[in-house]
Amino acid sequence: MSARAFSKSLRELRVHFSQQSPSSQGLRDFIIKSYPGLKKANPGVPILIREANNVESRIIARFDQGRERKIVVDGLSTGDIEQKFGSLVSSSDTK
């Protein structure tokens, strides 16, 4: 994924995954590959990475006014995660 700016309404990004679970491998690979570029393109947005055993792999985006959107990426490939992640961070929360 090429580094690009997030939606202006995005305030925080949280990434949760298991350190050893095979279902988290795609997300671990995505973070290793994409984090430096994403952080460089979005220096004002906190990107919090949380590792824990046996947790569901997910990415949570917090937008203006405390609204949140979550995507579950357990068992997905890096390519699938890139696609879902792109739609999550490029749109504002319009529930």
Side-chain angles (χ1 to χ4, degrees):
M1 165 180 233
S2 62
R4 62 175 188 220
F6 298 153
S7 166
K8 293 182 189 290
S9 63
L10 184 66
R11 297 293 172 234
E12 178 184 83
L13 195 63
R14 295 188 308 270
V15 180
H16 298 191
F17 58 88
S18 175
Q19 298 160 319
Q20 299 173 343
S21 172
S23 64
S24 291
Q25 187 63 50
L27 185 54
R28 290 193 304 266
D29 293 343
F30 172 76
I31 293 300
I32 289 169
K33 178 178 136 188
S34 302
Y35 178 82
L38 292 171
K39 192 59 186 171
K40 186 175 182 178
N42 303 280
V45 177
I47 301 174
L48 310 172
I49 299 173
R50 301 289 183 252
E51 297 176 308
N53 286 325
N54 302 317
V55 297
E56 176 181 65
S57 298
R58 60 187 176 254
I59 304 171
I60 304 161
R62 185 174 57 84
F63 295 90
D64 286 337
Q65 301 176 359
R67 295 185 183 158
E68 292 188 350
R69 287 182 58 205
K70 174 178 90 167
I71 57 171
V72 176
V73 295
D74 251 358
L76 296 181
S77 69
T78 303
D80 292 338
I81 293 170
E82 286 178 3
Q83 186 178 32
K84 285 186 165 224
F85 180 80
S87 66
L88 176 69
V89 299
S90 64
S91 64
S92 63
D93 186 31
T94 56
K95 285 185 182 178

